[in-house]
Amino acid sequence: MFRKKIKFVVGLTTFNNEFLEISVSGLARIRDKFTLVVYNDNPDTTVTKKQIRKLGYRGKLYVKNGDKNLGQLGARLALLEFIKAQRVKADWIMFADDDDILLNLKFPRVSDNNFAVIQNMVVLRTRLLDVLRVMKAPNNYQIDKENIALVRPHVGLAGTWVKADILFQLGDMLKSVEDKIQVVSDSLLFRAPIDIMMWSALNIFARAKNPDASPIYMDNINYIAIDLDTAKTKYGRAVQPSKNAVSQIERAIAQYDAIIRAQM
């Protein structure tokens, strides 16, 4: 059940600011209270509070414009630093991408050992019409396993609630090894799997602090991911490995994990 006393913060990172029309319009429909923190990772644009308000969001709001492009990891770490610097009150924090939609703030009962809440995600794969429909009414979709898929459970940081104190500590640790992480990312022939890397690092970090630590699963759809982009390359890198994708990603995660464990 949702508990009004819990302080929720949604950390939204953006580069292509046009996508904010998708994510913020969805956030504006959530009735439960939360704080929205927007980090703009595009140094050539400026995002303003007025712009976010025009998209319908009326809750507590903070906006930070970065002065250089940091990439997904750097932007998330900078967002955490901004939350701390602004002394934003947070019990649980969720990362969200600018082209995705958060549906609700449903939240289960958790124990002191639960550091994250895993839920379900819907993925829109092929049709622009589906995107237009959920932008107008976020629950207007029908899972058909071809155009619209259900990921149950969704494992990753985007769309996952994480205890704020653990996430802040993780952010500090990742910042201290960011250069080493970048070396691994630069060695890959495909886009670095940063979200999966951060999720794996969170589990390693939380369990090192508390052997009994674990995430908890809630059987609820709380996040829609837009995955219509069929380009094979993005930002000069292949989106996915050309061969043996699973094994290549697993090898990359193993390299990242080794850095985290050495730092721990």
Side-chain angles (χ1 to χ4, degrees):
M1 297 295 290
F2 176 75
R3 302 175 187 177
K4 293 183 179 180
K5 292 183 179 179
I6 299 177
K7 297 177 179 63
F8 294 102
V9 172
V10 175
L12 180 65
T13 53
T14 179
F15 182 84
N16 295 306
N17 305 155
E18 297 86 351
F19 285 141
L20 293 173
E21 190 168 346
I22 297 175
S23 53
V24 177
S25 61
L27 292 169
R29 292 181 173 87
I30 298 176
R31 295 182 179 181
D32 298 315
K33 291 183 179 180
F34 65 96
T35 298
L36 174 61
V37 181
V38 179
Y39 184 87
N40 178 25
D41 194 37
N42 188 341
D44 296 325
T45 65
T46 299
V47 175
T48 66
K49 287 186 177 181
K50 184 177 181 180
Q51 178 182 351
I52 302 300
R53 296 299 187 199
K54 281 186 176 181
L55 293 173
Y57 179 74
R58 296 290 180 264
K60 291 183 179 179
L61 174 63
Y62 296 81
V63 176
K64 173 67 175 178
N65 289 284
D67 56 9
K68 61 180 179 178
N69 177 225
L70 300 175
Q72 186 177 30
L73 175 59
R76 286 182 174 181
L77 297 181
L79 188 148
L80 291 176
E81 288 298 319
F82 180 65
I83 291 173
K84 289 191 292 184
Q86 296 296 312
R87 298 183 179 180
V88 179
K89 294 181 179 179
D91 296 317
W92 293 80
I93 298 174
M94 173 190 291
F95 289 122
D97 295 332
D98 58 2
D99 57 345
D100 296 338
I101 299 174
L102 179 63
L103 294 176
N104 55 68
L105 264 67
K106 291 182 180 180
F107 197 81
R109 292 186 177 275
V110 298
S111 74
D112 291 340
N113 291 328
N114 296 136
F115 61 84
V117 178
I118 300 171
Q119 300 186 51
N120 304 328
M121 179 176 74
V122 166
V123 182
L124 307 186
R125 289 176 168 170
T126 59
R127 301 181 302 202
L128 178 60
L129 177 61
D130 294 323
V131 178
L132 297 175
R133 283 174 173 168
V134 296
M135 285 178 64
K136 185 176 181 180
N139 291 307
N140 185 15
Y141 61 84
Q142 187 169 355
I143 295 167
D144 59 15
K145 298 182 181 180
E146 179 181 357
N147 302 298
I148 303 177
L150 174 64
V151 180
R152 179 185 184 191
H154 163 60
V155 178
L157 274 197
T160 297
W161 290 113
V162 182
K163 273 188 176 178
D165 58 344
I166 293 294
L167 193 54
F168 287 139
Q169 292 176 58
L170 174 68
D172 291 340
M173 190 272 289
L174 289 175
K175 188 68 177 177
S176 70
V177 294
E178 191 173 8
D179 290 345
K180 295 179 181 178
I181 290 173
Q182 190 61 49
V183 169
V184 174
S185 297
D186 289 343
S187 71
L188 303 177
L189 299 178
F190 53 92
R191 287 192 68 200
I194 296 300
D195 190 73
I196 301 173
M197 179 277 289
M198 293 185 72
W199 171 253
S200 183
L202 172 65
N203 280 264
I204 293 170
F205 184 84
R207 291 185 172 112
K209 295 290 183 181
N210 174 12
D212 295 323
S214 67
I216 188 173
Y217 170 63
M218 182 180 187
D219 192 6
N220 168 63
I221 298 173
N222 75 324
Y223 199 77
I224 296 178
I226 313 298
D227 191 24
L228 269 63
D229 193 344
T230 58
K232 293 184 178 180
T233 61
K234 195 171 184 180
Y235 306 124
R237 291 284 186 92
V239 173
Q240 294 286 341
S242 57
K243 296 180 180 179
N244 303 317
V246 173
S247 61
Q248 287 197 56
I249 291 172
E250 286 177 345
R251 284 197 293 270
I253 297 302
Q255 292 181 69
Y256 291 127
D257 287 353
I259 294 172
I260 304 305
R261 290 193 171 94
Q263 186 68 11
M264 294 298 298

PDB file of all heavy atoms in Angstrom, residues 184-208:
ATOM      1  N   VAL A 184      36.497   0.511 -19.163  1.00  0.00           N
ATOM      2  CA  VAL A 184      35.769  -0.674 -19.619  1.00  0.00           C
ATOM      3  C   VAL A 184      34.763  -0.286 -20.704  1.00  0.00           C
ATOM      4  O   VAL A 184      34.672  -0.938 -21.748  1.00  0.00           O
ATOM      5  CB  VAL A 184      35.054  -1.369 -18.449  1.00  0.00           C
ATOM      6  CG1 VAL A 184      34.181  -2.521 -18.961  1.00  0.00           C
ATOM      7  CG2 VAL A 184      36.059  -1.880 -17.431  1.00  0.00           C
ATOM      8  N   SER A 185      34.015   0.777 -20.468  1.00  0.00           N
ATOM      9  CA  SER A 185      33.005   1.206 -21.442  1.00  0.00           C
ATOM     10  C   SER A 185      33.636   1.540 -22.784  1.00  0.00           C
ATOM     11  O   SER A 185      33.099   1.193 -23.843  1.00  0.00           O
ATOM     12  CB  SER A 185      32.252   2.424 -20.902  1.00  0.00           C
ATOM     13  OG  SER A 185      31.540   2.106 -19.720  1.00  0.00           O
ATOM     14  N   ASP A 186      34.791   2.209 -22.757  1.00  0.00           N
ATOM     15  CA  ASP A 186      35.468   2.584 -23.998  1.00  0.00           C
ATOM     16  C   ASP A 186      35.995   1.370 -24.762  1.00  0.00           C
ATOM     17  O   ASP A 186      36.196   1.437 -25.982  1.00  0.00           O
ATOM     18  CB  ASP A 186      36.631   3.535 -23.702  1.00  0.00           C
ATOM     19  CG  ASP A 186      36.161   4.913 -23.263  1.00  0.00           C
ATOM     20  OD1 ASP A 186      34.980   5.240 -23.489  1.00  0.00           O
ATOM     21  OD2 ASP A 186      36.974   5.654 -22.678  1.00  0.00           O
ATOM     22  N   SER A 187      36.239   0.279 -24.056  1.00  0.00           N
ATOM     23  CA  SER A 187      36.784  -0.921 -24.709  1.00  0.00           C
ATOM     24  C   SER A 187      35.709  -1.727 -25.435  1.00  0.00           C
ATOM     25  O   SER A 187      36.032  -2.600 -26.247  1.00  0.00           O
ATOM     26  CB  SER A 187      37.457  -1.821 -23.670  1.00  0.00           C
ATOM     27  OG  SER A 187      36.495  -2.455 -22.819  1.00  0.00           O
ATOM     28  N   LEU A 188      34.449  -1.435 -25.177  1.00  0.00           N
ATOM     29  CA  LEU A 188      33.358  -2.200 -25.773  1.00  0.00           C
ATOM     30  C   LEU A 188      33.069  -1.716 -27.190  1.00  0.00           C
ATOM     31  O   LEU A 188      33.234  -0.538 -27.508  1.00  0.00           O
ATOM     32  CB  LEU A 188      32.087  -2.061 -24.919  1.00  0.00           C
ATOM     33  CG  LEU A 188      32.217  -2.485 -23.450  1.00  0.00           C
ATOM     34  CD1 LEU A 188      30.896  -2.216 -22.715  1.00  0.00           C
ATOM     35  CD2 LEU A 188      32.590  -3.958 -23.333  1.00  0.00           C
ATOM     36  N   LEU A 189      32.617  -2.632 -28.024  1.00  0.00           N
ATOM     37  CA  LEU A 189      32.251  -2.298 -29.398  1.00  0.00           C
ATOM     38  C   LEU A 189      30.772  -1.954 -29.513  1.00  0.00           C
ATOM     39  O   LEU A 189      30.263  -1.742 -30.623  1.00  0.00           O
ATOM     40  CB  LEU A 189      32.595  -3.464 -30.333  1.00  0.00           C
ATOM     41  CG  LEU A 189      34.083  -3.847 -30.388  1.00  0.00           C
ATOM     42  CD1 LEU A 189      34.289  -5.048 -31.305  1.00  0.00           C
ATOM     43  CD2 LEU A 189      34.928  -2.667 -30.846  1.00  0.00           C
ATOM     44  N   PHE A 190      30.086  -1.898 -28.398  1.00  0.00           N
ATOM     45  CA  PHE A 190      28.660  -1.580 -28.358  1.00  0.00           C
ATOM     46  C   PHE A 190      28.413  -0.617 -27.198  1.00  0.00           C
ATOM     47  O   PHE A 190      29.303  -0.380 -26.382  1.00  0.00           O
ATOM     48  CB  PHE A 190      27.816  -2.856 -28.200  1.00  0.00           C
ATOM     49  CG  PHE A 190      28.229  -3.716 -27.023  1.00  0.00           C
ATOM     50  CD1 PHE A 190      27.631  -3.564 -25.770  1.00  0.00           C
ATOM     51  CD2 PHE A 190      29.230  -4.674 -27.165  1.00  0.00           C
ATOM     52  CE1 PHE A 190      28.009  -4.357 -24.708  1.00  0.00           C
ATOM     53  CE2 PHE A 190      29.623  -5.471 -26.091  1.00  0.00           C
ATOM     54  CZ  PHE A 190      29.002  -5.303 -24.856  1.00  0.00           C
ATOM     55  N   ARG A 191      27.229  -0.045 -27.161  1.00  0.00           N
ATOM     56  CA  ARG A 191      26.905   0.913 -26.104  1.00  0.00           C
ATOM     57  C   ARG A 191      27.002   0.252 -24.738  1.00  0.00           C
ATOM     58  O   ARG A 191      26.466  -0.840 -24.511  1.00  0.00           O
ATOM     59  CB  ARG A 191      25.497   1.487 -26.290  1.00  0.00           C
ATOM     60  CG  ARG A 191      25.363   2.467 -27.436  1.00  0.00           C
ATOM     61  CD  ARG A 191      24.049   3.190 -27.365  1.00  0.00           C
ATOM     62  NE  ARG A 191      24.011   4.082 -26.208  1.00  0.00           N
ATOM     63  CZ  ARG A 191      22.898   4.545 -25.659  1.00  0.00           C
ATOM     64  NH1 ARG A 191      21.727   4.161 -26.129  1.00  0.00           N
ATOM     65  NH2 ARG A 191      22.947   5.367 -24.641  1.00  0.00           N
ATOM     66  N   ALA A 192      27.668   0.910 -23.839  1.00  0.00           N
ATOM     67  CA  ALA A 192      27.870   0.355 -22.503  1.00  0.00           C
ATOM     68  C   ALA A 192      26.530   0.138 -21.792  1.00  0.00           C
ATOM     69  O   ALA A 192      25.673   1.033 -21.796  1.00  0.00           O
ATOM     70  CB  ALA A 192      28.747   1.296 -21.678  1.00  0.00           C
ATOM     71  N   PRO A 193      26.347  -1.030 -21.182  1.00  0.00           N
ATOM     72  CA  PRO A 193      25.090  -1.336 -20.484  1.00  0.00           C
ATOM     73  C   PRO A 193      25.073  -0.702 -19.091  1.00  0.00           C
ATOM     74  O   PRO A 193      25.138  -1.387 -18.069  1.00  0.00           O
ATOM     75  CB  PRO A 193      25.097  -2.865 -20.422  1.00  0.00           C
ATOM     76  CG  PRO A 193      26.556  -3.218 -20.356  1.00  0.00           C
ATOM     77  CD  PRO A 193      27.260  -2.197 -21.207  1.00  0.00           C
ATOM     78  N   ILE A 194      24.991   0.625 -19.042  1.00  0.00           N
ATOM     79  CA  ILE A 194      25.149   1.361 -17.787  1.00  0.00           C
ATOM     80  C   ILE A 194      24.055   1.050 -16.780  1.00  0.00           C
ATOM     81  O   ILE A 194      24.320   0.888 -15.587  1.00  0.00           O
ATOM     82  CB  ILE A 194      25.210   2.882 -18.061  1.00  0.00           C
ATOM     83  CG1 ILE A 194      26.450   3.221 -18.887  1.00  0.00           C
ATOM     84  CG2 ILE A 194      25.205   3.661 -16.747  1.00  0.00           C
ATOM     85  CD1 ILE A 194      27.760   2.857 -18.227  1.00  0.00           C
ATOM     86  N   ASP A 195      22.809   0.952 -17.241  1.00  0.00           N
ATOM     87  CA  ASP A 195      21.722   0.694 -16.291  1.00  0.00           C
ATOM     88  C   ASP A 195      21.901  -0.654 -15.610  1.00  0.00           C
ATOM     89  O   ASP A 195      21.747  -0.774 -14.389  1.00  0.00           O
ATOM     90  CB  ASP A 195      20.370   0.751 -17.010  1.00  0.00           C
ATOM     91  CG  ASP A 195      19.204   0.734 -16.036  1.00  0.00           C
ATOM     92  OD1 ASP A 195      18.983   1.760 -15.363  1.00  0.00           O
ATOM     93  OD2 ASP A 195      18.521  -0.308 -15.936  1.00  0.00           O
ATOM     94  N   ILE A 196      22.260  -1.673 -16.379  1.00  0.00           N
ATOM     95  CA  ILE A 196      22.483  -3.004 -15.807  1.00  0.00           C
ATOM     96  C   ILE A 196      23.709  -2.975 -14.896  1.00  0.00           C
ATOM     97  O   ILE A 196      23.724  -3.594 -13.827  1.00  0.00           O
ATOM     98  CB  ILE A 196      22.666  -4.054 -16.915  1.00  0.00           C
ATOM     99  CG1 ILE A 196      21.441  -4.093 -17.823  1.00  0.00           C
ATOM    100  CG2 ILE A 196      22.916  -5.441 -16.319  1.00  0.00           C
ATOM    101  CD1 ILE A 196      21.605  -4.979 -19.042  1.00  0.00           C
ATOM    102  N   MET A 197      24.753  -2.272 -15.321  1.00  0.00           N
ATOM    103  CA  MET A 197      25.957  -2.153 -14.496  1.00  0.00           C
ATOM    104  C   MET A 197      25.630  -1.531 -13.147  1.00  0.00           C
ATOM    105  O   MET A 197      26.074  -2.016 -12.097  1.00  0.00           O
ATOM    106  CB  MET A 197      27.005  -1.308 -15.219  1.00  0.00           C
ATOM    107  CG  MET A 197      28.313  -1.086 -14.453  1.00  0.00           C
ATOM    108  SD  MET A 197      28.276   0.261 -13.230  1.00  0.00           S
ATOM    109  CE  MET A 197      28.214   1.679 -14.328  1.00  0.00           C
ATOM    110  N   MET A 198      24.838  -0.456 -13.137  1.00  0.00           N
ATOM    111  CA  MET A 198      24.497   0.221 -11.894  1.00  0.00           C
ATOM    112  C   MET A 198      23.636  -0.668 -10.998  1.00  0.00           C
ATOM    113  O   MET A 198      23.780  -0.660  -9.772  1.00  0.00           O
ATOM    114  CB  MET A 198      23.793   1.544 -12.181  1.00  0.00           C
ATOM    115  CG  MET A 198      24.680   2.590 -12.841  1.00  0.00           C
ATOM    116  SD  MET A 198      23.865   4.196 -13.039  1.00  0.00           S
ATOM    117  CE  MET A 198      23.826   4.767 -11.310  1.00  0.00           C
ATOM    118  N   TRP A 199      22.741  -1.437 -11.618  1.00  0.00           N
ATOM    119  CA  TRP A 199      21.908  -2.352 -10.823  1.00  0.00           C
ATOM    120  C   TRP A 199      22.777  -3.425 -10.165  1.00  0.00           C
ATOM    121  O   TRP A 199      22.614  -3.737  -8.981  1.00  0.00           O
ATOM    122  CB  TRP A 199      20.851  -3.009 -11.697  1.00  0.00           C
ATOM    123  CG  TRP A 199      20.104  -4.109 -11.006  1.00  0.00           C
ATOM    124  CD1 TRP A 199      20.217  -5.445 -11.220  1.00  0.00           C
ATOM    125  CD2 TRP A 199      19.163  -3.955  -9.935  1.00  0.00           C
ATOM    126  NE1 TRP A 199      19.405  -6.142 -10.371  1.00  0.00           N
ATOM    127  CE2 TRP A 199      18.738  -5.254  -9.568  1.00  0.00           C
ATOM    128  CE3 TRP A 199      18.638  -2.863  -9.261  1.00  0.00           C
ATOM    129  CZ2 TRP A 199      17.812  -5.477  -8.554  1.00  0.00           C
ATOM    130  CZ3 TRP A 199      17.714  -3.080  -8.242  1.00  0.00           C
ATOM    131  CH2 TRP A 199      17.307  -4.374  -7.898  1.00  0.00           C
ATOM    132  N   SER A 200      23.717  -3.984 -10.930  1.00  0.00           N
ATOM    133  CA  SER A 200      24.609  -4.990 -10.373  1.00  0.00           C
ATOM    134  C   SER A 200      25.473  -4.398  -9.257  1.00  0.00           C
ATOM    135  O   SER A 200      25.662  -5.010  -8.197  1.00  0.00           O
ATOM    136  CB  SER A 200      25.492  -5.568 -11.476  1.00  0.00           C
ATOM    137  OG  SER A 200      26.316  -6.603 -10.983  1.00  0.00           O
ATOM    138  N   ALA A 201      25.978  -3.179  -9.484  1.00  0.00           N
ATOM    139  CA  ALA A 201      26.792  -2.507  -8.471  1.00  0.00           C
ATOM    140  C   ALA A 201      25.988  -2.252  -7.206  1.00  0.00           C
ATOM    141  O   ALA A 201      26.499  -2.396  -6.086  1.00  0.00           O
ATOM    142  CB  ALA A 201      27.329  -1.192  -9.027  1.00  0.00           C
ATOM    143  N   LEU A 202      24.726  -1.887  -7.362  1.00  0.00           N
ATOM    144  CA  LEU A 202      23.858  -1.651  -6.198  1.00  0.00           C
ATOM    145  C   LEU A 202      23.725  -2.907  -5.355  1.00  0.00           C
ATOM    146  O   LEU A 202      23.820  -2.853  -4.126  1.00  0.00           O
ATOM    147  CB  LEU A 202      22.483  -1.182  -6.673  1.00  0.00           C
ATOM    148  CG  LEU A 202      21.402  -1.064  -5.588  1.00  0.00           C
ATOM    149  CD1 LEU A 202      21.761   0.024  -4.586  1.00  0.00           C
ATOM    150  CD2 LEU A 202      20.033  -0.782  -6.226  1.00  0.00           C
ATOM    151  N   ASN A 203      23.514  -4.044  -6.011  1.00  0.00           N
ATOM    152  CA  ASN A 203      23.372  -5.307  -5.271  1.00  0.00           C
ATOM    153  C   ASN A 203      24.662  -5.673  -4.547  1.00  0.00           C
ATOM    154  O   ASN A 203      24.626  -6.094  -3.384  1.00  0.00           O
ATOM    155  CB  ASN A 203      22.960  -6.422  -6.235  1.00  0.00           C
ATOM    156  CG  ASN A 203      21.487  -6.399  -6.558  1.00  0.00           C
ATOM    157  OD1 ASN A 203      20.695  -7.102  -5.950  1.00  0.00           O
ATOM    158  ND2 ASN A 203      21.105  -5.581  -7.526  1.00  0.00           N
ATOM    159  N   ILE A 204      25.794  -5.526  -5.213  1.00  0.00           N
ATOM    160  CA  ILE A 204      27.083  -5.822  -4.586  1.00  0.00           C
ATOM    161  C   ILE A 204      27.304  -4.911  -3.380  1.00  0.00           C
ATOM    162  O   ILE A 204      27.677  -5.357  -2.296  1.00  0.00           O
ATOM    163  CB  ILE A 204      28.230  -5.655  -5.599  1.00  0.00           C
ATOM    164  CG1 ILE A 204      28.130  -6.717  -6.688  1.00  0.00           C
ATOM    165  CG2 ILE A 204      29.596  -5.746  -4.900  1.00  0.00           C
ATOM    166  CD1 ILE A 204      29.076  -6.484  -7.854  1.00  0.00           C
ATOM    167  N   PHE A 205      27.043  -3.628  -3.584  1.00  0.00           N
ATOM    168  CA  PHE A 205      27.279  -2.635  -2.544  1.00  0.00           C
ATOM    169  C   PHE A 205      26.362  -2.858  -1.344  1.00  0.00           C
ATOM    170  O   PHE A 205      26.823  -2.861  -0.194  1.00  0.00           O
ATOM    171  CB  PHE A 205      27.053  -1.232  -3.120  1.00  0.00           C
ATOM    172  CG  PHE A 205      27.361  -0.119  -2.166  1.00  0.00           C
ATOM    173  CD1 PHE A 205      28.660   0.351  -2.012  1.00  0.00           C
ATOM    174  CD2 PHE A 205      26.355   0.470  -1.410  1.00  0.00           C
ATOM    175  CE1 PHE A 205      28.953   1.378  -1.125  1.00  0.00           C
ATOM    176  CE2 PHE A 205      26.631   1.498  -0.525  1.00  0.00           C
ATOM    177  CZ  PHE A 205      27.930   1.952  -0.377  1.00  0.00           C
ATOM    178  N   ALA A 206      25.072  -3.037  -1.601  1.00  0.00           N
ATOM    179  CA  ALA A 206      24.110  -3.198  -0.506  1.00  0.00           C
ATOM    180  C   ALA A 206      24.400  -4.437   0.328  1.00  0.00           C
ATOM    181  O   ALA A 206      24.327  -4.409   1.564  1.00  0.00           O
ATOM    182  CB  ALA A 206      22.688  -3.254  -1.058  1.00  0.00           C
ATOM    183  N   ARG A 207      24.782  -5.540  -0.337  1.00  0.00           N
ATOM    184  CA  ARG A 207      25.035  -6.784   0.389  1.00  0.00           C
ATOM    185  C   ARG A 207      26.383  -6.759   1.102  1.00  0.00           C
ATOM    186  O   ARG A 207      26.573  -7.466   2.092  1.00  0.00           O
ATOM    187  CB  ARG A 207      24.952  -7.965  -0.572  1.00  0.00           C
ATOM    188  CG  ARG A 207      23.511  -8.195  -1.055  1.00  0.00           C
ATOM    189  CD  ARG A 207      23.368  -9.442  -1.912  1.00  0.00           C
ATOM    190  NE  ARG A 207      21.969  -9.707  -2.191  1.00  0.00           N
ATOM    191  CZ  ARG A 207      21.402  -9.602  -3.391  1.00  0.00           C
ATOM    192  NH1 ARG A 207      22.148  -9.236  -4.435  1.00  0.00           N
ATOM    193  NH2 ARG A 207      20.119  -9.860  -3.566  1.00  0.00           N
ATOM    194  N   ALA A 208      27.308  -5.936   0.616  1.00  0.00           N
ATOM    195  CA  ALA A 208      28.569  -5.769   1.342  1.00  0.00           C
ATOM    196  C   ALA A 208      28.328  -5.008   2.647  1.00  0.00           C
ATOM    197  O   ALA A 208      28.979  -5.271   3.657  1.00  0.00           O
ATOM    198  CB  ALA A 208      29.579  -5.023   0.475  1.00  0.00           C
TER     199      ALA A 208
END
